[in-house]
Amino acid sequence: MHDTDTKKILFPLSRLTGFSIPLGALFTEESPVIGEYPSLTSLIPFCKSAGLGIIQLLPVNDTGTQTSPYSGLSAFALHPIYISLKNIAGFSSLYNKDVKFAQRYDSFIRSFPYSQRYCYQGILNEKTALLQMLFRSTEAAENSVPPADLTAWIQDNGWITFYAVFKQLKWKYMQSSWKDWPAEDCDITEAAIRSRWDDPVLKKDLLFYAWVQLQAYIQFKKAADAVRNAGIILKGDIPILMNEDSCDAWVSPDIFNQHLRAGSPPDDQNPEGQNWGFPIYNWEALKKNNYQWWKLRLASASRFYGAYRLDHILGFFRIWAIPETEKTAMLGHTEPNVPLTRTELHTAGFDDDRIHWLSEPHIPTAAIEDITWNKETACECLSRIAERIGSEDLWNFKRTITGEKTIAAADFANVCSEEAAVRIRQKLSEYWRNRCLIEIKNDSFIPAWLYTDSVSWKSLDNREQALLKGLIEKSEQKQDQIWEKQGFDILSSLTGATPMIPCGEDLGVGLACVPEVLDRTGILALRVVRWSRKWEERGQPYIPFKEYTPLSVTTTSVHDSSTLRQWWDEEKEAVSRFKACFPAVFDSGTDPGVPADNFTPAVAEAVLSAVADSASIWCIHPLQDFLYLQKKYWHDTADRERINIPGTVSDFNWTYRMPVKMEQLCNDTILVKKIKKIADRHTGWSKK
């Protein structure tokens, strides 16, 4: 069955090469400040000349003040920052007759000359102000009555009324989170939203947000249609999660679990795990409605895209869920899960005292005394946050302490110095996280991710450790079955909802069921060259390109990684192993090839050409990695060419701009020929 399914998916697909880029990174004659929706059309001649058949974009949904395209304020609204002001009907007329508007627009263009990173907030603020000036010149603003085209747009997009009310309230409360709004606006009913939408006092402001979305739709749809008509696939990106401060979380609380946040467990690069801060989904509620919200989301995307990437596809099987009271991800757990019950633990020989020892952190007085240098002071500090166990020098946290956030807010004023208080809070947080079992609900327990490192686990004798580990492994086997069923149920329902070609971001997946489910549902997996290795074998060799699974997308880099250039020059050990695995391509000392000690255009060409032999149906590389074929397009340092540095928040992230105007790139016959040679090699692939 599975072979048939795969062939059915692969048959209509051609072997294609493409590139990925954030929309804002585009640099054209018509869009000198930031890439805009119409900028997409400038890519068509470049793609046609270079033999490229796919353009992959990062998400383009409205993210408000957040630069990250994965921090959406709406699952449906497009980002206003990518609207081309000059392409709005009425721009020329207003520019010619309104001096203030003309001066402000000219000042906007002058204020943001080209730079390697664009000024997100400054551009957004000025463009919003100019959009407001343009809107005020329209019939909708003059009469507070939408014209026919806007009326039709509102009727065809049911989400727009909720979004417009949400945006107006965000503006009213100076962009603060909806959770901080007054009660009457925080938990609002559908009837209340409708009442606000119909309020004549608010109508003009609300119509502005609807009008902006109409302009974004018109421009994006026109550009997307041009790309499609040119025979090029436009591939979108669908973030799995929504910002907790999103319109969707505000208006549809039933489909989100606001008590749990998504993230990832501890690993070598992130010893405390990652807490992304986004609420997880209530999949049971979504299933009852046949995943309608998700299907509407995909249907909205299908108006523009011919293919889409599902972000963090592992999260559809199971997600790492972190209590909202935690700062780190160390005490997270998988959802769904099969917990250990108190009865099971009793049956295995663990009485209530033992369970308490395993699931409740125990703080020795000495741990705080080492900071205060005074036992009485240590006890006074501990008494504010913990309860002493009898007369022992051991303490348990009070029930009012629910997570690391409450520990961080603990008040030790008038007891010790603030410097000591900081160290005490840090030490208490370490003890808070140091446990073997986590009680996720009454009498239900799951193992902490690092349970074998906990003090309580190490105190167990060999027999007890074997008994507890046996219970945990039995639970994990049941979980695997649940995760496979959930993943298949959700993904099979979603992938059949639109004609778009589905792709999945399955990085870091350790579940055996995931490749099979992706194959059965026709979802293209992702193969990142630098991470496609036989990790379980000695030396962890790289997987030969021709052994990649056909139902996949191969790429040299992703938006969260370094570029090919930075990887080559900074991760010497991994690159050395890479070169050793492909001696016919690179100079290994015995075989002729490309000298590859330092990154050069020749190295870039050798890597991209070798990767073109991938068995993957598609090869989609970041535009930066293609631009390395010509050194004149390199930034001074490789770090300036990457898109995002995970775990950091700065003006640098997500604001990359390409180093040359697209019009110039199209005329670079040397670069175009090199790319076409690589694309043709992938198209003419054979297993030989």
Side-chain angles (χ1 to χ4, degrees), residues 166-349:
F166 177 78
K167 289 285 282 189
Q168 191 275 330
L169 286 168
K170 287 286 284 183
W171 175 83
K172 177 181 178 181
Y173 296 118
M174 301 179 68
Q175 305 303 321
S176 64
S177 169
W178 62 263
K179 294 185 176 183
D180 297 327
W181 298 348
E184 64 269 21
D185 291 330
C186 183
D187 298 313
I188 202 161
T189 64
E190 186 171 340
I193 293 174
R194 176 58 61 182
S195 176
R196 291 188 72 89
W197 173 257
D198 292 334
D199 187 337
V201 176
L202 300 174
K203 199 64 177 179
K204 185 181 297 185
D205 290 339
L206 296 173
L207 286 177
F208 166 71
Y209 295 110
W211 176 84
V212 166
Q213 284 303 305
L214 174 59
Q215 306 313 310
Y217 171 81
I218 290 171
Q219 293 187 10
F220 193 22
K221 186 70 167 67
K222 182 178 180 180
D225 285 348
V227 171
R228 182 183 294 109
N229 292 336
I232 301 165
I233 295 173
L234 187 61
K235 180 183 175 185
D237 196 329
I238 313 295
I240 181 175
L241 300 166
M242 296 300 303
N243 194 309
E244 67 173 326
D245 186 32
S246 67
C247 175
D248 302 85
W250 173 65
V251 80
S252 302
D254 56 312
I255 67 174
F256 296 93
N257 185 337
Q258 288 283 358
H259 301 297
L260 294 171
R261 298 289 181 269
S264 60
D267 56 30
D268 291 341
Q269 283 72 41
N270 303 281
E272 294 184 344
Q274 295 181 56
N275 187 338
W276 302 329
F278 300 142
I280 69 169
Y281 289 107
N282 181 347
W283 286 115
E284 290 183 7
L286 282 160
K287 185 175 183 178
K288 287 179 182 178
N289 197 26
N290 197 25
Y291 308 109
Q292 191 63 25
W293 180 85
W294 263 98
K295 289 180 178 179
L296 287 172
R297 193 178 179 190
L298 292 177
S300 178
S302 69
R303 297 180 296 182
F304 314 108
Y305 304 121
Y308 64 101
R309 168 190 178 273
L310 277 174
D311 174 50
H312 189 57
I313 208 162
L314 180 61
F316 292 92
F317 294 79
R318 56 94 167 144
I319 200 136
W320 190 249
I322 307 153
E324 62 175 335
T325 53
E326 300 294 340
K327 297 176 69 176
T328 70
M330 294 183 70
L331 293 186
H333 60 273
T334 55
E335 283 284 341
N337 58 69
V338 177
L340 306 177
T341 66
R342 187 176 291 272
T343 300
E344 286 177 307
L345 291 167
H346 283 168
T347 302

Side-chain angles (χ1 to χ4, degrees), residues 43-97:
L43 302 178
I44 295 173
F46 175 71
C47 289
K48 300 298 283 186
S49 300
L52 300 174
I54 305 171
I55 301 169
Q56 178 175 318
L57 298 179
L58 266 61
V60 294
N61 294 89
D62 185 6
T63 59
T65 59
Q66 301 293 315
T67 58
S68 171
Y70 296 93
S71 186
L73 279 187
S74 169
F76 304 97
L78 296 172
H79 208 311
I81 201 170
Y82 304 127
I83 293 174
S84 168
L85 298 169
K86 291 175 67 175
N87 278 268
I88 294 176
F91 171 86
S92 297
S93 175
L94 187 63
Y95 183 86
N96 291 327
K97 71 180 182 181

